[in-house]
Amino acid sequence: MMKRPLAYITAAWYGDDSENAELAAQYCRAVYEAGFSPICPVLYLPLFLNDAVPEEHKSGIDIGRDLLRRSRVLVVCGHNMTEAMKNDIAVAQRLGITATTLEGILRIKNEGNNC
């Protein structure tokens, strides 16, 4: 069985935690089906970190950066771009981690099946 590479999910997270979690789960499912192990901190960090507490907000950012460092690819999802997403892309570029869109990953998967 082939090991799935880690794929960090970034997107414009708006609205409440439950809306973000629903969207994040959809992105993660698509990335999983494309052959990756998705990593999406927005799915689980709100379960134990309070973003309104400055120290916990910073911890969430630090945890996310650590997970991004361990990933093979950064997957940019959605059609809007936030400062946080730009920061994720900059970190990935600095670390030599490939950044692509969800559409790009899905296109590569589909074209790979046609070869």
Side-chain angles (χ1 to χ4, degrees):
M1 185 168 156
M2 198 169 93
K3 189 175 178 182
R4 293 171 172 267
L6 298 177
Y8 187 96
I9 311 296
T10 190
W13 306 118
Y14 298 115
D16 62 26
D17 288 344
S18 64
E19 290 174 11
N20 287 338
E22 188 175 324
L23 190 56
Q26 292 172 12
Y27 293 149
C28 285
R29 182 67 197 189
V31 168
Y32 169 79
E33 288 177 354
F36 293 85
S37 292
I39 297 176
C40 192
V42 77
L43 268 176
Y44 75 94
L45 290 182
L47 298 174
F48 63 90
L49 291 179
N50 182 348
D51 204 46
V53 176
E55 182 180 318
E56 293 188 19
H57 174 79
K58 184 184 179 320
S59 289
I61 292 171
D62 291 345
I63 291 168
R65 289 287 176 262
D66 186 45
L67 292 169
L68 175 55
R69 279 185 197 91
R70 297 167 189 234
S71 300
R72 174 89 49 85
V73 64
L74 170 69
V75 183
V76 180
C77 300
H79 300 289
N80 297 320
M81 184 66 64
T82 64
E83 285 304 311
M85 293 168 72
K86 290 176 187 176
N87 289 338
D88 288 341
I89 293 166
V91 168
Q93 287 177 334
R94 192 170 67 244
L95 296 172
I97 297 168
T98 300
T100 187
T101 61
L102 180 57
E103 291 81 8
I105 284 209
L106 297 177
R107 186 169 55 245
I108 290 167
K109 176 189 177 267
N110 289 335
E111 289 177 6
N113 289 339
N114 294 333
C115 292

